[in-house]
Amino acid sequence: MKQSQTLIPTLREVPADADIKSHQLLLRAGFIRQNASGIYSFLPLGKKVLQKVESIVREEMDAAGAVEMLMPSLQPAELWEESGRWSTYGPELMRMKDRHNREFALGATHEEVITSLLRDEVKSYKRLPLTLYQIQSKFRDEKRPRFGLLRGREFLMKDAYSFHSNQESLDESYERMYQAYSNIFRRCGLNFRAVLADSGAIGGKDNHEFMVLSEIGEDTIAFSDSSDYAANLEMAAVVTTYTEKEHSGKEIKRIETPDQKTIAEVSAYLEIEAEDTVKSMLFIADENPVLVLVRGDHEVNDVKVKHAMDARIVELASPEQTQSLLSAGAGSIGPAQLPDDITVIADHAVKAMGDIVIGANEEGAHYVNAKLERDFSVSKFADLRFILEGDPSPDGTGTIQFAKGIEVGHVFKLGTTYSEPMNATILDENGRSKPFIMGCYGIGVSRTLAAIAEQFNDENGLTWPVNIAPYDLHILPLNMKDEVQSTTAEELYKLLKDYRYQVLLDDRKERAGVKFADSDLIGMPVRITVGKRASEGIVEVKIRKSGESYEVQKEELTDKLQDIFRQLSNI
Ligand code: ATP
Ligand code: MG
C-alpha cells in the first residue's frame, strides 16, 4: 500500500481524554477515531490489525471444530422475555422500538438468538455436539465506557456457543475451547493467564477468564509464583494453617473505646496487633442476618460467604439494619450476647486466636480477653477471607502473588440456564425429551487489539508483533525528489510484494524527520530506509522493537529479511 493513497492521520500531541498508552497510541498513530463515547471507527490500519486478530481467532476456532455463522444484531424483545433477561439485564441492554412499536434490543450477547435457532433446527442427540461461532459487533450501554477500545459501547466480539446432550460432551468441548483460547492469545504475543472465575461454586472448574497481565487491568489475579495456578482474587481458596495461640485465662472485660471504629483505630488505641482483634461484619444472606468474623488483619470475601451460607444473594447489612439488629453501628458490633436469630460464622483463622478483642454491640465500647466458646460461639468455620500475597498457593505449589489483569476472553459452562426456560429440547438416546446442555465462549476482539497495543509499545510509539502488525515492512524513501531514492523505493516495494511481504511505502513528499517519527509511531516490525546511500545500492534495515539496524546491499535484502522474520516470528 502506498501511504499517499490511504488514510493514516497521525497526531503529534497526546489526545487530552486518553489516559492509557494503548488508547493514546491507537489515536495518535491513526488506527482509530472516536465517534461518540465508547464508539469508534477503525481506520485502514486499525481495520488491518483487527483482521489479523480475527484470522487468528478464526483459524483456532475452526481447528477446534467450531463452525462460523452470523446472527443479527437486532433482536426481538420476545426472545429476551423467554429467557427472563428482558427484565433482569438492566440498562446495559440497548433497547429500541420499530415503526410498529414493537420492542427490540441491539445484541449485547446472543444466547437467546442461538438457543431459539437450535430449538427449531436440532431435534435429536444424533446431531450433537455442535459448536457455532460468529464475529460481530456487540452493543452494551456501559456505565463508564473508558480506556478506548478496552471498554466500548459498540465493540467486536467473537462469541461461540456449544450444544450437547450430556455433561461429558460439554466437558470435552470446554477443554478444546480452553486450548484454542490459549493458542489464540499466545499467537497474539500476549502475556496472559487463564484464571478461575466466579461461577458461584468455589473451586469450580467450569468458568475461566483469560486475563492479559497489565497494570491498568480492572481485575486482580492471585497466581502462584511457581505453578500455573491462577484465580480471580475472590475465587482463590485460602489453605493456610494457623498456629494456635493460648488464651491467658483472663476474664472478658468491657473497655471504653470512644470514637475508635476501624480495626486500625481500635488496635492502635489499645496498643495491640490487628491480628489479635476480630473484624465482625453483618450480612443479609437471602433475608437471614449473618455475622461474619475474620481476623482483624484479614478481609471478608462475600463470594465465600455466599458459598458458605449456600445463599443466592448476600449483601452487607445497611446501617439501619445493623442498628436495629445489633443496637450499634458497623464499627462497634461483635459476636458476644447476640440475639438467637443471628447466625455467626467465622474464618478458620479465628479458631486459632487466643485473647480476642471484639466489638461490644454498644457505641464506643469493645471487649478484650474474649475467648472463643466461653464468651461467644460460632456455628460454622469456613474459608471466608480474601487470599493475601505470601499465602501458600491452593494447589500446593508455591506462594501467591497478585497482578492486575484485563479480561480478554471468557469460557463458561452454561448448562441448561437458557435451554430450560426457553424450552429448547432434544430427544436423547432413550427417546426422552430433555433440554440442551450448553457452553458459551467469548473473546473481545477489539479489546484484545487494545491489550496488544498496551503490551507492545515504547516511548516512540507502537511495536507490533509480526503476527498482528498491519504490514510487515515499512519502506521509507527519505527524499522523494531524489530520483535514485524514489525509484529504488518503488523497485523494492514491487519486489518485496512479489516475495509475499505486506508492504507499506511512504511515498509522501514529507521531510525525513516526519517520516521517521510517523514510522516509529505506527510501528511496523521492520523498516527499510532508502537514503543517500541508495546511489551505492545500499539501504538500511531496522527492527522496530529492538532498534537493531543493518546496512544491506539491495541484492542481499531478501535473504536478510528472511533471517530477520524467522527470528522475529520465533519470539
Ligand atoms: P467485563 O467484566 O469486562 O464487563 P463481561 O464479563 O461483561 O466483561 P462477557 O459478557 O463475558 O464480558 O463478554 C465476553 C468478552 O467480551 C469479554 O471477555 C471481553 O473481552 C469482551 N467485552 C465485554 N465487554 C466489553 C466492552 N464493553 N468493550 C470491549 N470488550 C468487551
Ligand atoms: Mg460487562
Side-chain angles (χ1 to χ4, degrees):
M1 175 59 66
K2 294 188 175 170
Q3 229 162 305
S4 63
Q5 290 166 18
T6 181
L7 178 67
I8 309 176
T10 54
L11 306 169
R12 290 283 160 267
E13 302 294 317
V14 178
D17 54 348
D19 7 274
I20 58 160
K21 271 274 157 200
S22 58
H23 191 196
Q24 291 170 355
L25 288 171
L26 290 171
L27 286 167
R28 283 188 54 210
F31 282 62
I32 58 169
R33 281 295 180 265
Q34 183 176 302
N35 183 277
S37 168
I39 306 175
Y40 291 87
S41 294
F42 289 85
L43 307 190
L45 288 184
K47 175 67 178 162
K48 280 244 171 218
V49 191
L50 209 49
Q51 269 166 344
K52 294 276 173 92
V53 178
E54 278 180 42
S55 22
I56 292 176
V57 171
R58 281 202 174 87
E59 280 171 33
E60 295 295 338
M61 280 294 114
D62 295 350
V67 192
E68 187 167 5
M69 64 178 297
L70 184 61
M71 288 177 268
S73 284
L74 271 180
Q75 308 183 3
E78 291 80 41
L79 279 182
W80 288 71
E81 269 154 10
E82 279 191 53
S83 71
R85 286 208 287 186
W86 187 252
S87 54
T88 57
Y89 204 98
E92 232 178 67
L93 190 64
M94 296 234 180
R95 300 160 207 250
M96 55 190 293
K97 286 187 178 152
D98 72 2
R99 65 171 75 205
H100 306 294
N101 227 18
R102 288 191 203 108
E103 289 190 294
F104 284 83
L106 278 176
T109 170
H110 279 69
E111 283 84 2
E112 281 80 1
V113 177
I114 193 120
T115 306
S116 84
L117 184 79
L118 272 278
R119 170 175 70 188
D120 294 341
E121 304 304 330
V122 175
K123 308 281 186 198
S124 157
Y125 75 96
K126 288 183 194 150
R127 302 274 304 278
L128 301 180
L130 193 57
T131 304
L132 297 160
Y133 78 96
Q134 63 174 349
I135 297 180
Q136 184 216 36
S137 291
K138 295 283 187 276
F139 301 85
R140 291 184 186 178
D141 200 357
E142 297 276 355
K143 196 169 182 186
R144 281 184 68 205
R146 60 186 195 138
F147 292 165
L149 301 180
L150 283 179
R151 187 169 294 287
R153 294 198 295 164
E154 174 175 342
F155 58 95
L156 204 61
M157 195 201 284
K158 185 285 301 179
D159 45 329
Y161 306 88
S162 70
F163 294 82
H164 312 269
S165 58
N166 60 58
Q167 187 64 33
E168 297 72 54
S169 166
L170 170 62
D171 294 346
E172 270 168 38
S173 290
Y174 186 84
E175 186 54 38
R176 219 171 310 132
M177 283 295 141
Y178 183 99
Q179 272 312 323
Y181 274 44
S182 303
N183 297 345
I184 289 167
F185 297 121
R186 189 178 33 74
R187 287 177 64 186
C188 288
L190 288 165
N191 179 12
F192 71 96
R193 288 271 183 152
V195 309
L196 284 171
D198 177 22
S199 58
I202 296 279
K205 295 216 179 307
D206 49 4
N207 186 356
H208 285 89
E209 287 169 356
F210 286 76
M211 295 278 190
V212 170
L213 303 188
S214 164
E215 277 301 305
I216 56 132
E218 292 177 334
D219 301 278
T220 303
I221 306 163
F223 68 97
S224 163
D225 61 1
S226 34
S227 76
D228 63 2
Y229 175 85
N232 263 349
L233 187 58
E234 74 269 17
M235 286 298 292
V238 174
V239 295
T240 312
T241 47
Y242 304 92
T243 1
E244 300 250 339
K245 282 193 181 171
E246 282 282 322
H247 190 269
S248 64
K250 290 182 188 157
E251 283 303 302
I252 186 169
K253 188 170 148 204
R254 183 183 167 283
I255 298 242
E256 301 278 341
T257 49
D259 297 328
Q260 313 300 314
K261 295 214 159 54
T262 65
I263 292 288
E265 286 165 357
V266 172
S267 45
Y269 186 77
L270 299 175
E271 294 179 356
I272 53 161
E273 296 296 325
E275 62 174 61
D276 291 322
T277 66
V278 150
K279 187 181 289 176
S280 308
M281 291 179 77
L282 188 64
F283 286 85
I284 309 292
D286 292 345
E287 289 157 27
N288 304 310
V290 188
L291 192 69
V292 180
L293 313 182
V294 294
R295 217 169 66 183
D297 56 332
H298 294 154
E299 296 297 332
V300 177
N301 177 336
D302 51 357
V303 174
K304 291 181 177 178
V305 173
K306 185 170 142 191
H307 186 65
M309 295 304 296
D310 204 8
R312 265 185 324 107
I313 299 171
V314 163
E315 276 173 335
L316 201 59
S318 66
E320 298 74 35
Q321 283 169 320
T322 310
Q323 270 300 339
S324 86
L325 288 160
L326 295 174
S327 327
S332 311
I333 60 176
Q337 295 143 28
L338 287 184
D340 284 346
D341 58 347
I342 298 181
T343 311
V344 181
I345 60 173
D347 182 65
H348 293 303
V350 174
K351 208 179 205 165
M353 295 174 74
D355 291 53
I356 312 175
V357 174
I358 54 178
N361 293 325
E362 184 188 332
E363 224 49 61
H366 278 77
Y367 289 123
V368 297
N369 305 330
K371 186 176 183 213
L372 181 67
E373 299 307 341
R374 185 190 68 183
D375 304 316
F376 64 94
S377 47
V378 167
S379 62
K380 180 177 181 178
F381 286 94
D383 169 18
L384 296 176
R385 72 162 170 100
F386 277 106
I387 203 161
L388 289 171
E389 277 189 297
D391 276 334
S393 176
D395 70 345
T397 312
T399 301
I400 286 298
Q401 291 189 349
F402 288 173
K404 291 277 180 199
I406 303 169
E407 180 196 323
V408 285
H410 193 179
V411 292
F412 189 51
K413 291 183 187 172
L414 289 173
T416 57
T417 317
Y418 292 91
S419 51
E420 231 169 64
M422 295 185 68
N423 215 2
T425 57
I426 38 150
L427 294 179
D428 70 6
E429 293 87 333
N430 307 312
R432 273 195 295 261
S433 163
K434 61 182 206 186
F436 286 110
I437 296 174
M438 291 170 58
C440 74
Y441 319 89
I443 289 183
V445 177
S446 44
R447 183 182 282 186
T448 300
L449 188 166
I452 299 171
E454 196 60 39
Q455 281 194 349
F456 289 84
N457 66 68
D458 62 18
E459 66 281 8
N460 296 322
L462 294 154
T463 60
W464 296 106
V466 174
N467 278 351
I468 304 296
Y471 294 92
D472 303 317
L473 296 169
H474 199 181
I475 302 180
L476 257 61
L478 294 185
N479 179 0
M480 283 301 285
K481 288 191 199 122
D482 180 314
E483 189 63 26
V484 183
Q485 289 188 28
S486 57
T487 48
T488 306
E490 183 76 30
E491 182 195 323
L492 292 179
Y493 174 64
K494 290 207 178 91
L495 173 81
L496 294 171
K497 283 210 305 185
D498 286 345
Y499 271 79
R500 295 278 171 264
Y501 286 106
Q502 294 160 349
V503 193
L504 182 65
L505 169 64
D506 192 349
D507 58 342
R508 297 173 304 162
K509 295 187 180 60
E510 289 285 358
R511 284 184 296 113
V514 172
K515 290 192 174 189
F516 281 132
D518 278 353
S519 176
D520 279 345
L521 189 56
I522 64 182
M524 296 321 122
V526 176
R527 172 162 88 208
I528 300 169
T529 309
V530 184
K532 288 211 177 79
R533 299 193 70 187
S535 55
E536 307 160 49
I538 292 176
V539 296
E540 188 209 51
V541 175
K542 186 170 180 190
I543 301 175
R544 172 68 183 88
K545 197 164 170 56
S546 65
E548 287 165 74
S549 68
Y550 314 89
E551 302 259 280
V552 183
Q553 281 287 343
K554 264 194 319 187
E555 297 71 33
E556 288 158 15
L557 184 60
T558 52
D559 285 349
K560 184 69 191 170
L561 289 177
Q562 208 178 15
D563 278 355
I564 290 177
F565 277 95
R566 198 175 296 134
Q567 199 189 321
L568 289 178
S569 317
N570 280 341
I571 30 179

